[in-house]
Amino acid sequence: MSSIGDVEILNEFDIKAEIMHNEDLSHTLTMLKKGRVDYALYPALNNDINTYKKDFSVVVLRQMAVNTIIHKKHAPLVDELSNAIHARLPELTQQINQHGTD
């Protein structure tokens, strides 16, 4: 089970499994726990992976970076936006880490 986007990101792996597409990720882990599916391609933050390892065997296929991309017409705002993003990163990272342990 996987979302279409996750399959596309991993297309060079040439996965031979029959993949059922499911864009509602909230049900994927539940279906795995109940044995309704045997295998999933599932996006996860680093801190979530340790949680998932308690219930599942986890193999990390790819680590990804998340980037902001700004149209060139907004080039004069790049410094201001970069400073604002960097200023908020510790707060946002803390929120992500707290969410992952809920």
Side-chain angles (χ1 to χ4, degrees):
M1 175 178 281
S2 180
S3 70
I4 293 170
D6 290 336
V7 172
E8 290 297 318
I9 289 169
L10 299 171
N11 65 5
E12 77 270 11
F13 285 94
D14 193 29
I15 296 169
K16 300 290 187 202
E18 181 181 330
I19 298 175
M20 176 176 50
H21 294 280
N22 177 16
E23 300 303 317
D24 187 357
L25 293 175
S26 63
H27 297 294
T28 302
L29 295 177
T30 301
M31 291 179 74
L32 275 167
K33 283 184 181 181
K34 291 183 176 185
R36 293 186 176 174
V37 295
D38 297 319
Y39 177 84
L41 298 172
Y42 192 81
L45 298 171
N46 286 338
N47 55 318
D48 292 333
I49 291 171
N50 289 327
T51 302
Y52 300 148
K53 284 181 177 179
K54 294 175 186 172
D55 295 315
F56 309 108
S57 294
V58 177
V59 176
V60 176
L61 298 177
R62 167 168 285 152
Q63 299 260 340
M64 292 182 48
V66 177
N67 304 287
T68 57
I69 301 172
I70 302 166
H71 191 279
K72 62 183 176 182
K73 70 181 178 184
H74 300 296
L77 300 174
V78 169
D79 288 340
E80 184 179 346
L81 287 169
S82 293
N83 290 337
I85 291 168
H86 283 288
R88 295 230 24 229
L89 276 177
E91 171 192 345
L92 296 172
T93 300
Q94 182 179 12
Q95 287 175 7
I96 289 168
N97 289 337
Q98 286 175 347
H99 171 71
T101 59
D102 288 345

